[in-house]
Amino acid sequence: AQKVTQAQTEISVVEKEDVTLDCVYETRDTTYYLFWYKQPPSGELVFLIRRNSFDEQNEISGRYSWNFQKSTSSFNFTITASQVVDSAVYFCALSEGGTDKLIFGTGTRLQVFP
Amino acid sequence: NAGVTQTPKFRVLKTGQSMTLLCAQDMNHEYMYWYRQDPGMGLRLIHYSVGEGTTAKGEVPDGYNVSRLKKQNFLLGLESAAPSQTSVYFCASSRSLGVTNQPQHFGDGTRLSIL
């Protein structure tokens, strides 16, 4: 069965600190896709990244970076030099190849204080 | 650049009333989804559609019905609303022909309260 676990319910940091959001997934498929979405206080869901199971390269986009490790079934998200605008709920999600249905984790609420 | 539009944005119902939530997308996506978001539970899939005229059950389908009469629209119906259906509802769409597991594009959500 598919499952996504985000064990960190809430994280608080002070601006400019680095912060890592953890995501652990379970799937029996060899082909799957992992996603991160951001939900700011305004409520909409914003797509951040998609990674397939055959691509374990880490990715960096500005202050954001993602570490995908199949050996530990993890897809962690790091924000470097956090800013107040990063305050949001972040969701990790999984879809198995060919279905497109997303299984979401319960989310991690990140609060960045000035 | 409308993307995914949900109507209405807010609604308050009394127990037993019925209503329909409308989702419209202008990206020519094949797949459409309805989720509900409850505190501490993330988003859970209610129903989804892989094309015009088709629908399928998701993780939490009970108490809801859906229809996809036109490719661009996906309707979510509550026949007899219950307080347990108080939630924020999100519609999403994805997948143009020939590509798979593309990111889902979400609407802004509908906040529904059942009294």
Side-chain angles (χ1 to χ4, degrees):
Chain A
Q2 304 173 74
K3 186 178 180 182
V4 176
T5 301
Q6 294 181 257
Q8 304 153 308
T9 304
E10 188 162 339
I11 301 174
S12 295
V13 299
V14 177
E15 215 170 12
K16 297 185 183 178
E17 283 187 39
D18 298 347
V19 57
T20 295
L21 309 181
D22 298 333
C23 173
V24 174
Y25 62 91
E26 296 176 29
T27 178
R28 293 177 183 173
D29 268 22
T30 56
T31 301
Y32 54 89
Y33 297 78
L34 296 163
F35 301 79
W36 276 94
Y37 283 85
K38 174 183 180 180
Q39 186 176 44
S42 50
E44 74 274 21
L45 282 145
V46 178
F47 164 73
L48 296 178
I49 190 171
R50 165 183 177 265
R51 173 70 72 216
N52 73 56
S53 53
F54 299 107
D55 183 2
E56 284 194 76
Q57 279 193 335
N58 291 333
E59 178 145 345
I60 298 175
S61 177
R63 297 184 296 107
Y64 293 173
S65 62
W66 290 268
N67 179 256
F68 177 27
Q69 291 195 341
K70 289 179 73 172
S71 61
T72 57
S73 297
S74 65
F75 186 43
N76 296 338
F77 173 29
T78 297
I79 301 174
T80 303
S82 59
Q83 300 177 1
V84 173
V85 293
D86 295 327
S87 297
V89 179
Y90 291 86
F91 291 98
C92 181
L94 163 73
S95 71
E96 292 176 343
T99 70
D100 279 35
K101 291 186 292 181
L102 285 175
I103 300 296
F104 282 86
T106 52
T108 297
R109 180 177 300 277
L110 174 65
Q111 295 196 68
V112 182
F113 294 99
Chain B
N1 285 354
V4 179
T5 303
Q6 292 183 231
T7 310
K9 296 191 184 307
F10 304 95
R11 186 74 183 267
V12 178
L13 291 179
K14 294 182 179 179
T15 297
Q17 286 185 318
S18 63
M19 80 159 295
T20 300
L21 306 185
L22 172 63
C23 177
Q25 54 95 3
D26 62 2
M27 296 172 282
N28 201 34
H29 283 163
E30 299 297 319
Y31 287 25
M32 296 187 74
Y33 316 81
W34 276 106
Y35 295 89
R36 59 178 289 172
Q37 182 179 17
D38 301 295
M41 301 188 74
L43 279 79
R44 294 180 293 168
L45 184 64
I46 304 171
H47 286 282
Y48 65 101
S49 168
V50 300
E52 183 178 324
T54 72
T55 63
K57 294 180 180 180
E59 181 185 354
V60 289
D62 294 342
Y64 305 95
N65 56 74
V66 288
S67 64
R68 182 105 181 264
L69 299 180
K70 294 182 179 181
K71 183 177 183 178
Q72 63 267 35
N73 296 338
F74 195 29
L75 279 61
L76 177 70
L78 286 73
E79 290 189 347
S80 179
S84 60
Q85 294 177 304
T86 293
S87 188
V88 180
Y89 292 85
F90 285 96
C91 177
S93 70
S94 72
R95 194 193 275 215
S96 300
L97 286 177
V99 292
T100 63
N101 296 91
Q102 293 299 300
Q104 292 182 14
H105 298 258
F106 285 82
D108 289 342
T110 295
R111 188 172 297 273
L112 184 61
S113 295
I114 316 295
L115 304 178

